[in-house]
Amino acid sequence: MFDEPAILILGLEALFLTVVIVIAFRLWLDKRRHAVFTALMEDVFNAPGRGIILYDHNDNLVRANDEAYQFISTLSDDPSAHDISFVSGMPSTMKGFLDYMFDHAVDVDQSLKNALDKLSQQRSGQGFREVIAWGDDQLCLVEASSTSAGRQLVALYDLSRAKSDEDKTIKLSRFSDKLVHAIEAVNSGIIIAKRVDDAYRVLFANQAFEEYSGLPSADTIGKPVRRIFNHLTTHERSLKKIDEALRSQSQGDIDLKAGQEKDKPRWFNVQLTPTEMDDEDVFIAVFTDITDLKIREQELSRTQKMEALGQLAAGVAHDFNNILSIVGGYARIADSNFGENETLSDYLQKIQNATDRGASLTSQLLTFSRHKIVTESVIDLSQTLKEQSSLLTPLLPASIVCSFDVDTEGLVIDCAVDDITQVMMNLALNARDAMPDGGAITIGSHLCEGGDVPLHIREKTDNDKLVCFSVKDDGCGIKPEILEKIFDPFFTTKDQGKGTGLGLFMVYGLVKQMSGFIDVDSTPGQGTIFSVFWPLSDKQPTKVMQGSIADVESINLEGYTALVAEDEPDLLALVSSMLERLGMTVLAAANGNEALVLQDDHMGDVDLLLTDVVMPELGGVKLAELMQEMRPDTHILFMSGYPAGASETGASLPDGATLIAKPIDYENLARIIFEKLTNKDVNKFIQTDQGRAAHWETSEVEDGVGNGSIKSS
Amino acid sequence: MGQVKDFNDLKVLIVEDQHEARAMMRNMLMELGVNQIFDAPDGRDALVFLDSAFDFVDMIICDWNMPNMDGVELLRQLRSVDPDIPFLMVTGRGDMESVVEAKSSGVTGYIRKPFSAKGLEAKIRIMMHRMAE
């Protein structure tokens, strides 16, 4: 049994023990909690992402975390080396820290300085929060605040990375804005297509592509590329090339003829480029409108073709003219020798007529190839058309009414009457043939400015004012498919034997030679208008008077010496005999070099050099130059199977040169030589041929003669 | 008749005592497309040159009056070796007697000073044509 005091003591002991245990446990617990808290605080203190520096109420450094040390060390290699106020790399006072900050910051402005000053003076925990920049792109948010115990806590946050990320985002967004804007603004159509299963489908199409294709983006985006191309063109060859590029994932450079067969074609160059975007196969197609380029290419090739044909024609005609000269010339000589025999004379006349016809054919061919010396002449178009209209009347049947709408005066152009007449005649005859059942032809002339002139002509000339000459008919018109061919030589739609196919070919050549432009507007079944445009000339029209020498046979040029250079022996003999018939002494040379030697040997004067333009070794143009050097008084006459003779020789005839077109016509030659020589020395002529001089009062322009205006003697 | 040589293939010897005249002739010849040109200041030097290089010269253009050996003497000596080589005598004299003298001494051609490139070209062509005949 227990006594009561003992139980009490036992109880007290137990209580005491319990209290002790509880206290000990609480103490242990507190300590434990404190240790955990301290470790926790240490973690927080050293947590990455911000630097922390703590100064006590006396402004002395308490501690700083690793990050803070790193911040400071990035400002300088060894900060403490420069400043004694540093304690193991950290400013020892708050003020020191602020000064250090200020010294190393870039873009410091007054407000920042003020804030720092204020902070360092007050130290009152007002708080400080500024972004300070230093070094290369380093940005730091500095936060200073006072604790309740009067300590100063400085927190440093590195904003550089965040800033650079933000910058990048802004930059990217701006760039992509610009990129999209540029792609939308560019003149080329661009589509981007991604491969989905087996087909490429359009991801993106720009504005220009919408315009090019006529497809709204709703009909483009998401649709298979092949379908889009099918919409653009029906030309199998182009589509095949595109398929090939898409299939083989290779680069493609394709000229695409867009539009349906019946439409006016439009050309695109399509550049196909395969690439990858986010590991997906993508094709980029860039469309450029090359319609203008294609049209120019076609024009160029057409011009080249015409030039080649012209050269061919000129080459053939040259030899042919030589042959005609010989045939015709000897026929004429034979005729004058056997004139008594009527039958023979008749035959010879027929030969001469035939050679004349042959000559006119070659002359038609040659007109095209710009080989005719352009006569310096200025005409009033309306007046000339009126004057020449009488030539047309006999050629038009009664069923065709021809009217002239040429009232405007003062349409002055630089070209020869003959050429204009030829153009008018050919176009009018063409109009006549287009109206076998009769109709109306209107020949007009008027001044065109700005919009009146077709665009393709306006592009080729700088002249604002153009004179337009037009021939309009209401005949059968020209089918669009042959419109391109109508100016080709020997192209004709007329029945065999009815057309030579040279009419429009000649018109084309003449207009080109006169620096003009031609335009055709035709509607099948309704009629055709041919319009020819020339620049308006500011010169005065030339007055041309007609006249003729009374009698060539009366010309006698005895006492004159002529040097003839011609490489065709028969023609040399013929021309020499013509000159001898005029009474001249003739030095006949088979080529240019021989002509030089002959004149060198000849001790007397050489009054005239009559030379072929095209000769081997030394051509006529060079010969004439050398002759002028050695014998400046010698008159020079060129003759050529090419009416202007020049292009083939590579040298052009000198200014003011006189050219006689082959075949050589005796009367023509006699008159020209007479004019040349007697102008030079009238007295000599009169002395040798007194009383027999042929007189004429007016001047005239010779066929086939460059500037053969003959003055009275 | 043989083919007349092209100016590009022509080799010419100029014999002229005046430096400026030599240079001028050289320029003219080059203008005409002749690019193989030799020169000598008088007849004696020309003979020395021709002695070793006779085959390299197609034509001689020579002044009449020169010290040491004049054009006529040079021509006389040359003709004894080669009667055919084209020889163009350059003369300042324009009288008929001089022309006759020049012709009778065996020149292929003669040209009066002053002359132009075209005048020279004509004379060369004439000489070449004569030689080719």
Side-chain angles (χ1 to χ4, degrees):
Chain A
M1 263 323 268
F2 296 103
D3 58 358
E4 272 188 359
I7 291 169
L8 190 68
I9 288 164
L10 201 66
L12 281 172
E13 274 178 357
L15 185 66
F16 177 74
L17 198 64
T18 309
V19 168
V20 169
I21 289 168
V22 167
I23 290 170
F25 180 70
R26 286 289 294 272
L27 281 173
W28 175 81
L29 204 62
D30 276 0
K31 200 177 171 185
R32 171 84 188 138
R33 271 187 189 152
H34 184 76
V36 170
F37 180 72
T38 310
L40 205 66
M41 287 311 291
E42 198 68 22
D43 273 357
V44 172
F45 190 72
N46 286 316
R50 68 186 186 291
I52 294 175
I53 313 166
L54 195 63
Y55 293 97
D56 67 13
H57 59 280
N58 287 324
D59 201 16
N60 292 321
L61 178 69
V62 178
R63 57 177 303 202
N65 67 359
D66 293 347
E67 205 109 340
Y69 281 103
Q70 270 174 24
F71 270 120
I72 297 299
S73 68
T74 54
L75 299 187
S76 170
D77 292 341
D78 182 8
S80 53
H82 309 288
D83 197 331
I84 49 158
S85 64
F86 275 68
V87 175
S88 53
M90 185 59 64
S92 56
T93 63
M94 174 81 173
K95 187 174 184 311
F97 170 78
L98 293 173
D99 287 347
Y100 186 77
M101 203 84 204
F102 179 71
D103 285 347
H104 288 81
V106 284
D107 79 338
V108 181
D109 60 6
Q110 196 54 43
S111 67
L112 179 64
K113 188 173 171 3
N114 290 346
L116 289 169
D117 285 349
K118 196 173 158 193
L119 185 69
S120 70
Q121 280 157 20
Q122 287 183 349
R123 290 189 56 256
S124 56
Q126 286 297 310
F128 168 86
R129 190 183 159 85
E130 290 290 338
V131 174
I132 295 173
W134 73 78
D136 299 330
D137 303 327
Q138 292 276 24
L139 277 181
C140 182
L141 171 66
V142 180
E143 272 181 346
S145 55
S146 303
T147 65
S148 52
R151 295 193 185 93
Q152 296 284 338
L153 185 71
V154 179
L156 305 162
Y157 300 91
D158 183 3
L159 301 182
S160 307
R161 188 179 296 168
K163 176 77 169 66
S164 103
D165 287 349
E166 190 188 357
D167 283 355
K168 215 185 221 170
T169 315
I170 291 172
K171 225 185 253 176
L172 263 176
S173 123
R174 277 189 196 152
F175 178 69
S176 71
D177 275 359
K178 278 182 191 159
L179 202 65
V180 170
H181 187 74
I183 291 174
E184 286 293 2
V186 59
N187 206 16
S188 301
I190 296 173
I191 55 176
I192 301 173
K194 188 177 82 170
R195 201 216 293 262
V196 180
D197 299 329
D198 279 343
Y200 281 93
R201 286 174 184 272
V202 177
L203 274 182
F204 170 87
N206 72 348
Q207 194 84 29
F209 181 76
E210 273 185 39
E211 281 165 27
Y212 282 177
S213 63
L215 287 171
S217 59
D219 289 347
T220 316
I221 309 295
K223 301 287 183 296
V225 170
R226 190 57 169 76
R227 199 187 296 169
I228 309 268
F229 279 111
N230 272 345
H231 170 82
L232 278 176
T233 181
T234 52
H235 298 272
E236 281 302 325
R237 262 180 67 188
S238 308
L239 287 171
K240 219 171 162 185
K241 280 188 191 169
I242 286 159
D243 281 344
E244 179 62 25
L246 291 175
R247 194 181 52 75
S248 63
Q249 295 216 355
S250 56
Q251 291 244 343
D253 182 353
I254 299 152
D255 282 356
L256 192 75
K257 193 175 179 187
Q260 309 301 315
E261 297 284 0
K262 61 181 191 307
D263 297 342
K264 206 174 164 189
R266 203 171 167 192
W267 288 88
F268 294 112
N269 172 265
V270 187
Q271 294 279 347
L272 288 169
T273 314
T275 183
E276 276 191 5
M277 281 183 193
D278 302 328
D279 294 334
E280 285 177 325
D281 289 337
V282 167
F283 249 101
I284 299 169
V286 180
F287 294 73
T288 315
D289 190 337
I290 51 164
T291 311
D292 284 353
L293 190 75
K294 281 280 172 192
I295 289 173
R296 267 186 219 123
E297 263 178 28
Q298 281 168 356
E299 269 179 20
L300 183 70
S301 87
R302 177 186 175 76
T303 311
Q304 282 170 342
K305 184 180 81 180
M306 293 300 246
E307 266 173 19
L309 282 166
Q311 275 173 12
L312 183 73
V316 172
H318 172 238
D319 289 343
F320 199 59
N321 269 340
N322 273 349
I323 296 164
L324 286 176
S325 290
I326 296 162
V327 175
Y330 282 108
R332 205 178 295 273
I333 292 172
D335 191 19
S336 63
N337 287 344
F338 302 102
E340 295 83 13
N341 185 333
E342 237 175 71
T343 321
L344 192 58
S345 178
D346 187 35
Y347 290 162
L348 290 167
Q349 201 61 51
K350 284 200 165 87
I351 294 177
Q352 285 176 51
N353 290 346
T355 55
D356 287 350
R357 271 172 50 204
S360 82
L361 187 71
T362 50
S363 130
Q364 271 197 14
L365 267 174
L366 286 161
T367 308
F368 174 77
S369 51
R370 282 183 284 125
H371 291 298
K372 195 169 173 184
I373 287 185
V374 180
T375 315
E376 279 288 319
S377 163
V378 181
I379 59 157
D380 184 314
L381 179 64
S382 304
Q383 206 182 333
T384 308
L385 290 177
K386 274 188 225 165
E387 281 167 11
Q388 302 298 318
S389 61
S390 59
L391 292 172
L392 268 182
T393 326
L395 298 170
L396 302 175
S399 59
I400 289 177
V401 183
C402 179
S403 57
F404 281 79
D405 176 16
V406 292
D407 293 336
T408 330
E409 296 271 326
L411 299 179
V412 182
I413 52 175
D414 292 294
C415 60
V417 176
D418 282 1
D419 294 342
I420 285 287
T421 311
Q422 293 233 42
V423 171
M424 177 184 79
M425 297 280 281
N426 274 288
L427 290 179
L429 292 181
N430 217 55
R432 176 199 67 183
D433 296 340
M435 302 184 291
D437 302 327
I441 297 176
T442 313
I443 294 175
S445 62
H446 56 278
L447 189 68
C448 279
E449 286 179 79
D452 298 344
V453 183
L455 185 66
H456 71 96
I457 290 171
R458 242 183 299 155
E459 282 175 348
K460 289 180 199 152
T461 175
D462 297 333
N463 294 78
D464 298 333
K465 290 185 176 176
L466 295 173
V467 173
C468 174
F469 159 65
S470 60
V471 176
K472 178 173 176 268
D473 67 62
D474 49 10
C476 57
I478 304 166
K479 289 178 198 145
E481 58 265 30
I482 62 163
L483 204 58
E484 278 191 4
K485 292 184 192 150
I486 56 170
F487 294 112
D488 289 1
F490 307 112
F491 178 81
T492 180
T493 54
K494 295 168 195 167
D495 295 339
Q496 179 80 32
K498 282 198 175 166
T500 58
L502 288 175
L504 286 178
F505 173 67
M506 195 174 101
V507 168
Y508 183 90
L510 275 171
V511 170
K512 228 178 145 196
Q513 181 186 304
M514 293 186 281
S515 309
F517 309 97
I518 194 159
D519 181 57
V520 195
D521 188 5
S522 185
T523 314
Q526 289 185 24
T528 305
I529 307 175
F530 279 92
S531 306
V532 183
F533 298 87
W534 289 278
L536 182 67
S537 172
D538 50 5
K539 297 178 194 152
Q540 285 292 315
T542 322
K543 293 278 177 208
V544 179
M545 286 182 279
Q546 303 290 326
S548 68
I549 186 166
D551 184 7
V552 173
E553 292 300 328
S554 67
I555 296 176
N556 186 332
L557 296 171
E558 221 168 280
Y560 286 96
T561 303
L563 173 60
V564 183
E566 164 65 60
D567 60 327
E568 178 74 55
D570 290 338
L571 199 52
L572 177 64
L574 176 67
V575 173
S576 300
S577 79
M578 283 178 177
L579 298 185
E580 278 161 2
R581 205 164 137 197
L582 291 171
M584 300 182 85
T585 306
V586 178
L587 309 171
N591 58 52
N593 285 323
E594 195 177 315
L596 282 179
V597 173
L598 284 181
Q599 66 81 32
D600 195 51
D601 289 342
H602 184 71
M603 297 303 269
D605 287 345
V606 175
D607 301 288
L608 175 76
L609 167 67
L610 177 59
T611 175
D612 190 12
V613 176
V614 186
M615 289 186 292
E617 289 185 24
L618 184 66
V621 176
K622 186 76 189 168
L623 171 64
E625 259 180 46
L626 298 176
M627 269 301 275
Q628 256 170 352
E629 193 64 28
M630 289 179 297
R631 295 177 181 264
D633 293 336
T634 302
H635 286 263
I636 293 164
L637 268 180
F638 293 98
M639 51 186 175
S640 179
Y642 303 102
S647 321
E648 277 63 31
T649 63
S652 49
L653 292 184
D655 288 344
T658 307
L659 180 99
I660 303 169
K662 289 177 186 173
I664 306 291
D665 174 68
Y666 173 67
E667 281 85 5
N668 199 16
L669 180 71
R671 272 186 284 172
I672 294 161
I673 293 178
F674 174 83
E675 177 263 333
K676 279 262 172 195
L677 298 185
T678 51
N679 261 3
K680 171 192 162 197
D681 186 356
V682 176
N683 290 330
K684 193 172 174 182
F685 175 79
I686 291 172
Q687 275 163 15
T688 56
D689 192 32
Q690 244 171 358
R692 288 185 59 202
H695 293 272
W696 59 92
E697 306 298 328
T698 54
S699 58
E700 70 174 18
V701 169
E702 294 291 332
D703 285 339
V705 180
N707 60 351
S709 63
I710 299 180
K711 306 272 175 354
S712 61
S713 61
Chain B
M1 195 187 91
Q3 186 72 30
V4 174
K5 265 200 170 188
D6 194 77
F7 275 38
N8 289 321
D9 300 332
L10 198 63
K11 297 181 274 286
V12 178
L13 170 65
I14 301 169
V15 191
E16 164 69 66
D17 57 322
Q18 283 180 309
H19 172 73
E20 294 79 7
R22 263 203 320 267
M24 192 195 68
M25 271 193 249
R26 179 180 276 273
N27 278 345
M28 280 183 184
L29 286 170
M30 285 169 80
E31 210 175 289
L32 298 177
V34 181
N35 40 36
Q36 300 176 78
I37 308 164
F38 312 97
D39 56 36
D42 57 42
R44 218 168 46 192
D45 275 29
L47 275 182
V48 173
F49 174 78
L50 287 170
D51 194 33
S52 59
F54 199 85
D55 292 342
F56 295 108
V57 174
D58 298 320
M59 179 178 290
I60 296 162
I61 301 176
C62 178
D63 192 26
W64 188 312
N65 290 317
M66 286 179 298
N68 295 329
M69 187 190 287
D70 68 8
V72 178
E73 178 56 23
L74 173 65
L75 178 62
R76 199 187 57 75
Q77 294 205 24
L78 271 179
R79 282 289 176 250
S80 64
V81 187
D82 183 341
D84 294 327
I85 186 162
F87 193 101
L88 179 66
M89 188 72 91
V90 182
T91 164
R93 292 184 278 180
D95 55 293
M96 212 52 190
E97 283 170 22
S98 307
V99 174
V100 172
E101 191 188 340
K103 285 205 162 181
S104 62
S105 63
V107 296
T108 326
Y110 67 96
I111 187 166
R112 282 184 210 159
K113 282 183 186 174
F115 53 86
S116 64
K118 277 190 187 136
L120 183 63
E121 180 184 357
K123 290 290 177 185
I124 293 175
R125 281 185 181 280
I126 290 165
M127 291 206 300
M128 281 160 58
H129 190 75
R130 281 193 205 283
M131 297 322 294
E133 267 175 342

